[in-house]
């Protein structure tokens, strides 16, 4: 299988790259700086903050699926998730690639966006602590980051391609255990954290799982 990994030097992107290579997949990486890659793979330098480019289309052409760990690493990067994902979707349509799996965040189901101006007040999977304590604090602290991710999800819903959105809670650098839980369209009760390695593991398995197509997946330990 040929996979294009976007953001392959980020936390989840590095895990996607390592696990895909270890599994014997053919991998192309899309990054700002190919010299920062942990593995020697076919790589394209693309600044997704500036939209589509011939290099992006070349990186995507021929792939069976795109796996994206794209997201803002700092306040200066806010907006890259939505802009970059729009560019990816446009490039996918241009070269005839139809499958993408992306990382969002657990609170995004209750964040308003242009495509979802009136989201539910609470995620159906959240318990009392998450609904009334943790989620409000996170949304206040990460308001601009979450707005970017919510717009990214809008882009995918409007794209016509076969997307999967993965919404993890707090991410850790723990080992890949493969004991995580998942749920369609909601978060996980008492799901407060998960390792980046396990998120990557699920994303790789979701590539050829038809049940995940055009679905939002909650995931947590």
């Amino acid at each position: 299988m040929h996979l294009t990994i976007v953001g392959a030097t980020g936390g989840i992107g590095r895990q996607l790259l390592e696990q895909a290579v270890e599994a014997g997949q053919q991998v192309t990486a899309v990054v700002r700086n190919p010299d920062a890659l942990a593995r020697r793979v076919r790589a394209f330098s693309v600044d997704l903050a500036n939209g589509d480019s011939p290099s992006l289309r070349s990186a995507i052409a021929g792939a069976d699926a795109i796996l994206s760990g794209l997201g803002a690493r700092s306040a200066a990067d806010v907006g890259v998730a939505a802009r970059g994902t729009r560019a990816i979707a446009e490039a996918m349509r241009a070269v005839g690639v139809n499958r993408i799996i992306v990382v969002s965040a657990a609170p995004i189901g209750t964040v308003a966006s242009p495509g979802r101006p009136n989201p539910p007040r609470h995620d159906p999977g959240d318990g009392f602590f998450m609904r009334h304590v943790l989620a409000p604090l996170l949304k206040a602290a990460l308001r601009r980051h979450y707005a970017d991710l919510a717009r990214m999800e809008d882009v995918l819903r409007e794209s016509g391609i076969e997307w999967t959105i993965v919404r993890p809670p707090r991410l850790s650098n723990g080992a890949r255990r493969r004991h995580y839980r998942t749920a369609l369209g909601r978060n996980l009760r008492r799901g407060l954290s998960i390792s980046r390695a396990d998120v990557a593991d699920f994303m790789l398995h979701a590539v050829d799982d038809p049940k995940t197509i055009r679905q939002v997946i909650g995931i947590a330990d």
Side-chain angles (χ1 to χ4, degrees), residues 9 14 31-41 43-45:
T9 57
R14 285 177 181 270
V31 290
R32 289 180 182 173
N33 178 16
D35 292 338
L37 286 167
R39 292 272 193 166
R40 286 178 172 261
V41 296
F44 289 81
S45 176

Side-chain angles (χ1 to χ4, degrees), residues 31 60 65 70 86 100 103 108 115 131 136 146 160 174 191 194 204 212:
V31 290
I60 288 172
L70 191 63
R86 188 179 301 281
I100 184 169
V103 178
I108 304 305
R131 288 186 179 191
Y146 285 170
I194 188 170
L204 288 164
T212 68

Side-chain angles (χ1 to χ4, degrees), residues 41-125:
V41 296
R42 180 173 178 254
F44 289 81
S45 176
V46 179
D47 183 0
L48 283 165
N50 294 319
D52 192 10
S53 71
S55 293
L56 179 59
R57 293 191 291 276
S58 296
I60 288 172
D64 295 296
I66 314 303
L67 296 108
S68 176
L70 191 63
R73 300 188 195 181
S74 68
D77 286 336
V78 170
V80 70
R83 289 195 303 270
T85 301
R86 188 179 301 281
I88 293 165
E90 290 171 354
M92 290 173 66
R93 289 192 293 266
V95 300
V97 174
N98 200 40
R99 186 76 174 104
I100 184 169
I101 298 96
V102 307
V103 178
S104 184
I108 304 305
T110 60
V111 174
S113 66
R116 296 175 71 242
N118 299 297
R121 185 177 179 186
H122 301 297
D123 187 285

Side-chain angles (χ1 to χ4, degrees), residues 146-163:
Y146 285 170
D148 184 21
L149 292 175
R151 288 192 297 270
M152 176 193 74
E153 294 193 5
D154 285 349
V155 168
L156 291 173
R157 291 189 184 94
E158 297 163 2
S159 68
I161 58 180
E162 294 184 346
W163 50 267

Side-chain angles (χ1 to χ4, degrees), residues 114-135:
R116 296 175 71 242
N118 299 297
R121 185 177 179 186
H122 301 297
D123 187 285
D126 288 343
F128 181 89
F129 178 75
M130 179 61 76
R131 288 186 179 191
H132 300 288
V133 180
L134 190 55

